[in-house]
Amino acid sequence: MENENKSSKFHINLWYFIIFSLLGLITETIVYVIMSKTIGARGLYLGPLCFIYGISSVILINALEKLKNKKIKLFIISIILVSLMQYAISFILEGVNGSIFWNYAKKYCNLNGRICLAYSLVFTVIVVVFMLFIKKYFDKLINKMNGKRSKIVDIILTVIITLYILSTVWGFVVYSRNAKEVLNGRNYISNNNIIEKIENIVFTNERMNKIFPNLRIMNDEGTLIYASSILEK
């Protein structure tokens, strides 16, 4: 019985990850088209998933599940978690690789440019509305997909998603490294070993720019520069 519950929980979380990764991609694409007035691929590499949204959503849904009947507490905890998660993601990305995807320094009531009140409120409202009114329909839909075939599908999807995440992270590291090399006046192109040859063939700057169009690198003067503009030079 315990194993069945764990399997069911994994099944539900897997599909929440997929659904919100897709929704995250759609949202990011719409915002990108509106802001840049151009149509282009975004987050599309091995699959149409914006997995940061998927992971964040799974964490939030599980953390807030028991607060569905306590609306005020749900809102307060939601805005705290949303803000903490966004700040942590920004901090980790910048700390690990010196890369910046967003900067709210010019927004009202921001904290170190990593989070701001307006975006935290928007995301919180979305989370609260989902938990109160939409989640139950998603649960019914996901629970209809069960049985032995469903378990096999879950395993296959898990393997594919894991490879997709690893390849996306690898591409991100290569792309940001290339930009920093050029920014520091060094030549990033190298074919000394099989790994570097794979990186040069698979993770081309053109392809990575479509996946990470907002990736920025900070120079020695503290100015944020788009990786795409650095690598165009």
Side-chain angles (χ1 to χ4, degrees):
M1 187 67 179
E2 184 179 348
N3 289 333
E4 288 183 7
N5 289 334
K6 288 182 178 179
S7 177
S8 176
K9 191 71 173 178
F10 176 80
H11 172 73
I12 292 172
N13 284 331
L14 174 64
W15 281 98
Y16 270 128
F17 171 86
I18 294 172
I19 290 169
F20 282 97
S21 292
L22 288 168
L23 291 176
L25 174 66
I26 293 169
T27 302
E28 289 279 320
T29 301
I30 292 172
V31 171
Y32 179 68
V33 170
I34 293 173
M35 297 295 289
S36 65
K37 294 183 173 59
T38 59
I39 298 175
R42 181 167 174 90
L44 290 168
Y45 182 49
L46 293 181
L49 298 176
C50 202
F51 64 85
I52 292 295
Y53 282 88
I55 295 171
S56 300
S57 297
V58 169
I59 294 172
L60 285 170
I61 289 169
N62 283 278
L64 300 171
E65 177 68 27
K66 296 180 180 179
L67 300 175
K68 288 188 297 184
N69 298 322
K70 302 174 183 178
K71 296 179 182 178
I72 296 177
K73 195 171 183 179
L74 174 64
F75 181 85
I76 294 172
I77 299 299
S78 293
I79 196 168
I80 292 172
L81 287 177
V82 165
S83 300
L84 285 174
M85 288 176 65
Q86 189 177 23
Y87 193 98
I89 292 169
S90 173
F91 183 83
I92 291 170
L93 288 174
E94 185 178 350
V96 170
N97 213 39
S99 305
I100 298 171
F101 280 90
W102 63 84
N103 188 344
Y104 301 141
K106 295 182 180 180
K107 300 291 184 181
Y108 171 74
C109 198
N110 74 85
L111 181 59
N112 298 329
R114 302 184 190 280
I115 57 175
C116 71
L117 181 61
Y119 279 90
S120 291
L121 283 173
V122 169
F123 285 127
T124 298
V125 170
I126 293 172
V127 169
V128 170
V129 169
F130 174 80
M131 294 300 297
L132 292 176
F133 305 109
I134 304 174
K135 183 179 180 296
K136 56 186 177 182
Y137 299 108
F138 274 63
D139 287 345
K140 287 181 182 179
L141 178 63
I142 293 171
N143 285 326
K144 286 182 179 179
M145 300 181 287
N146 51 33
K148 289 184 178 179
R149 289 184 179 179
S150 176
K151 290 181 180 179
I152 294 173
V153 170
D154 286 353
I155 292 171
I156 294 172
L157 286 174
T158 300
V159 173
I160 293 173
I161 290 169
T162 300
L163 293 174
Y164 165 72
I165 292 175
L166 291 174
S167 66
T168 303
V169 172
W170 188 6
F172 160 71
V173 171
V174 171
Y175 187 48
S176 56
R177 182 198 66 201
N178 291 351
K180 283 186 284 187
E181 289 277 313
V182 172
L183 192 62
N184 293 323
R186 295 192 292 268
N187 183 8
Y188 65 87
I189 299 176
S190 176
N191 286 296
N192 293 328
N193 55 59
I194 187 65
I195 299 297
E196 290 177 346
K197 290 179 181 179
I198 291 172
E199 290 177 347
N200 293 333
I201 295 172
V202 178
F203 304 119
T204 64
N205 293 332
E206 292 77 14
R207 186 173 293 167
M208 291 300 99
N209 183 44
K210 291 179 180 179
I211 301 172
F212 307 116
N214 284 332
L215 178 62
R216 283 161 283 186
I217 307 295
M218 186 176 292
N219 63 16
D220 294 336
E221 288 74 37
T223 303
L224 292 174
I225 306 173
Y226 282 96
S228 58
S229 65
I230 296 172
L231 293 168
E232 283 175 358
K233 298 177 181 179

